[in-house]
Structures are given as structure tokens and as C-alpha cells.
Amino acid sequence: QVQLKESGPGLVQPSQTLSLTCTVSGLSLTSNSVSWIRQPPGKGLEWMGVIWSNGGTDYNSAIKSRLSISRDTSKSQVFLKMNSLQTEDTAMYFCARKGIRRGGSFDYWGQGVMVTVSS
Amino acid sequence: DIQMTQSPASLSASLGETVTIECRASEDIYNGLAWYQQKPGKSPQLLIYNANSLHTGVPSRFSGSGSGTQYSLKINSLQSEDVASYFCQQYYDYPFTFGSGTKLEIK
């Protein structure tokens, strides 16, 4: 079955770079698109960006200058790198699959990884 | 960016009742809308896509409707397991944007 799992450091210092990994199973990254979505504590969801099945990327313009999404198809992994972290980047970070024949909705999500930005 | 205004922010209803949650887009999103349910400490789960299509395995008491800029999620015969937060998401245009959420509780 389709599964996604995020991993990465729970604590990052201000101004540092965040690196997260989304490991997928039950699907091929060459025929599926994966997005990163984050949720600050007690708040709503923010779409960050997507890596398409062809390897192309699109980013939320609000954070585009700080964000990079890449992948290693042989390892079934998608990577997020975001630099110049600030306290407002403290959030739960999710990776999610764009649904097949579900428009732009997300039909499978990882469990999320909590990232705290603090010195 | 397309802004999604979701209401109400919180909702309290009795078991068996019918509840409705609304989302208004800042421009026409041509039915490019999804609804999600998120229980505390869990990731969101897809309920509805394309404004009115029920996702696989979702109980039929959930339904979506709307067009243009106005959309709604209706839950019939409220069950205890429906206690959660609900979010709308537009995917008509980038960046994809979400509503601020509705927290549903049982009276």
C-alpha cells in the first residue's frame, strides 16, 4: 500500500538550513507527484511546493527564494531544503501525494515531522 | 494568491445532527476544491475532491457542493468519530491554498 514517511531533525537553530526527507513506498516517484505542506502549531496548512513525476518543481512564491525540493528515485526519497530559518518556520512538516484522478488534492499523507526553530 | 475564507471557525453540534461548513474563494476556482478531515495529532485525510466527489472509503454522510467561489461540506447524521478539524483546499491555481479550518465538537 502507499506510504509516505517524513524524517529529519526536530530542532533547528535560527538562520540555519532545514533538511527533511520523505521516503515513499508503494508508489513510483517517476509516475507520482509529491508535495511538501506545513502546519504551524494550532494553525492552518500551507502548501510549500511540489516535485512532479517528471522531476520538475513548483514552489510557493512566499518562500520560493529559500526552498529547494529534489528527489532520488532509486531510493524512493524526496528531499526538502529550506534556508534562513526563523521561529515562524516552526511547524509540522508533511509530505503528501497528489491524488491520481483526484484533481490537485492529496490522497496520501505522511505522519508529519515536527520542526522547532529555536536557539 | 487565491484566498480561501472558511466558516465557521468552530462548531458544536449534537450526535445525529447535520452540519455545514462553508468555504469562499477570492475568485472563481471552477470546482478545483478538496475537503480534508484532520484529527488531533494526525495528518489530514481527503474526504472530497473536485468539490463534490467522494473519496474512496469515505462514508456517504459526507458530501460536498458548490460552484464558482462558494463551496460547502455537509455532514449528515453526525457521529462521535467526526470530531475533528476540517479544511478546504483550492487547487485551481498555484500556490495551492487552504482555508483556516473549522473545529467540530460534539455538544
Side-chain angles (χ1 to χ4, degrees):
Chain A
Q1 71 277 28
V2 174
Q3 290 185 322
L4 300 92
K5 186 172 183 180
E6 307 87 348
S7 58
L11 181 65
V12 180
Q13 294 201 338
S15 79
Q16 297 301 301
T17 296
L18 172 66
S19 294
L20 298 177
T21 299
C22 173
T23 302
V24 307
S25 57
L27 64 88
S28 168
L29 291 177
T30 57
S31 51
N32 288 269
S33 302
V34 173
S35 281
W36 286 95
I37 296 159
R38 66 179 178 176
Q39 185 174 35
K43 295 190 177 181
L45 298 153
E46 180 185 30
W47 178 79
M48 301 179 72
V50 59
I51 186 160
W52 299 105
S53 56
N54 64 5
T57 53
D58 277 300
Y59 301 118
N60 189 327
S61 55
I63 52 176
K64 182 176 182 176
S65 63
R66 300 195 289 138
L67 183 64
S68 174
I69 299 175
S70 60
R71 70 183 186 183
D72 184 333
T73 56
S74 66
K75 294 184 178 179
S76 295
Q77 292 180 324
V78 176
F79 308 106
L80 175 148
K81 286 191 188 304
M82 189 163 68
N83 58 31
S84 304
L85 252 61
Q86 301 302 319
T87 54
E88 52 265 33
D89 295 310
T90 293
M92 184 73 81
Y93 285 75
F94 298 98
C95 57
R97 182 188 87 157
K98 177 181 171 299
I100 305 297
R101 293 183 295 278
R102 294 290 186 271
S105 65
F106 303 105
D107 62 350
Y108 286 94
W109 295 64
Q111 64 192 17
V113 59
M114 184 66 203
V115 174
T116 300
V117 182
S118 174
S119 54
Chain B
D1 296 2
I2 296 176
Q3 305 302 314
M4 302 300 294
T5 303
Q6 187 173 338
S7 61
S10 62
L11 185 54
S12 183
S14 301
L15 293 175
E17 266 193 57
T18 294
V19 300
T20 299
I21 299 168
E22 309 273 349
C23 249
R24 185 181 77 249
S26 58
E27 60 185 84
D28 195 331
I29 58 172
Y30 300 94
N31 282 18
L33 184 102
W35 290 97
Y36 299 89
Q37 177 192 69
Q38 185 179 31
K39 297 186 177 180
K42 301 292 187 182
S43 55
Q45 301 294 305
L46 178 64
L47 298 173
I48 302 286
Y49 64 96
N50 294 347
N52 55 27
S53 296
L54 195 67
H55 183 50
T56 308
V58 175
S60 58
R61 64 177 182 275
F62 291 90
S63 64
S65 64
S67 62
T69 61
Q70 300 274 5
Y71 298 87
S72 60
L73 172 71
K74 186 164 76 170
I75 310 173
N76 289 318
S77 303
L78 194 64
Q79 307 290 307
S80 57
E81 60 263 32
D82 300 334
V83 169
S85 291
Y86 293 83
F87 295 91
C88 61
Q89 175 223 341
Q90 70 79 22
Y91 47 83
Y92 172 69
D93 196 15
Y94 291 102
F96 297 156
T97 47
F98 292 83
S100 53
T102 296
K103 188 173 183 179
L104 175 61
E105 298 176 334
I106 302 295
K107 270 185 195 172

